[in-house]
Amino acid sequence: NLGNYLGLILGGEEKIFGQILELPDNEEILQNLDEYEGFAPNDPQESLYVRKETNAYFDEKHLKVWVYEYNRDLPKV
């Protein structure tokens, strides 16, 4: 929890629950999502989030999905 929004960081032991959305095969939609999430594919180091492919499990299905991983240091608690 980052206050006004959430931040996902891959690699932990805990399960992450969320929604899986299927998008039309349209590059413009993905570009719009990247912009909304603060991801600049041409400058990932400076992006707030980075889009990454990972595994998701839904019922008995294993899916390859895109997620936006938080790309900053975590705030001190």
Side-chain angles (χ1 to χ4, degrees):
N1 184 338
L2 300 169
N4 293 331
Y5 52 93
L6 300 175
L8 166 80
I9 296 182
L10 298 171
E13 297 294 321
E14 295 185 33
K15 290 182 181 180
I16 299 169
F17 295 90
Q19 294 180 317
I20 299 172
L21 304 173
E22 183 175 4
L23 302 174
D25 188 14
N26 181 321
E27 188 65 29
E28 186 176 340
I29 291 173
L30 196 53
Q31 289 171 354
N32 288 338
L33 279 172
D34 287 347
E35 183 177 332
Y36 177 81
E37 295 292 351
F39 173 53
N42 57 343
D43 193 9
Q45 297 289 30
E46 295 300 318
S47 296
L48 180 59
Y49 288 87
V50 178
R51 179 169 33 97
K52 293 186 175 179
E53 188 175 43
T54 191
N55 298 312
Y57 301 91
F58 177 72
D59 291 332
E60 299 297 318
K61 298 176 187 168
H62 168 254
L63 304 169
K64 288 284 188 183
V65 298
W66 290 112
V67 297
Y68 288 94
E69 182 175 34
Y70 187 61
N71 195 35
R72 299 282 189 268
D73 292 333
L74 291 175
K76 304 264 187 228
V77 181

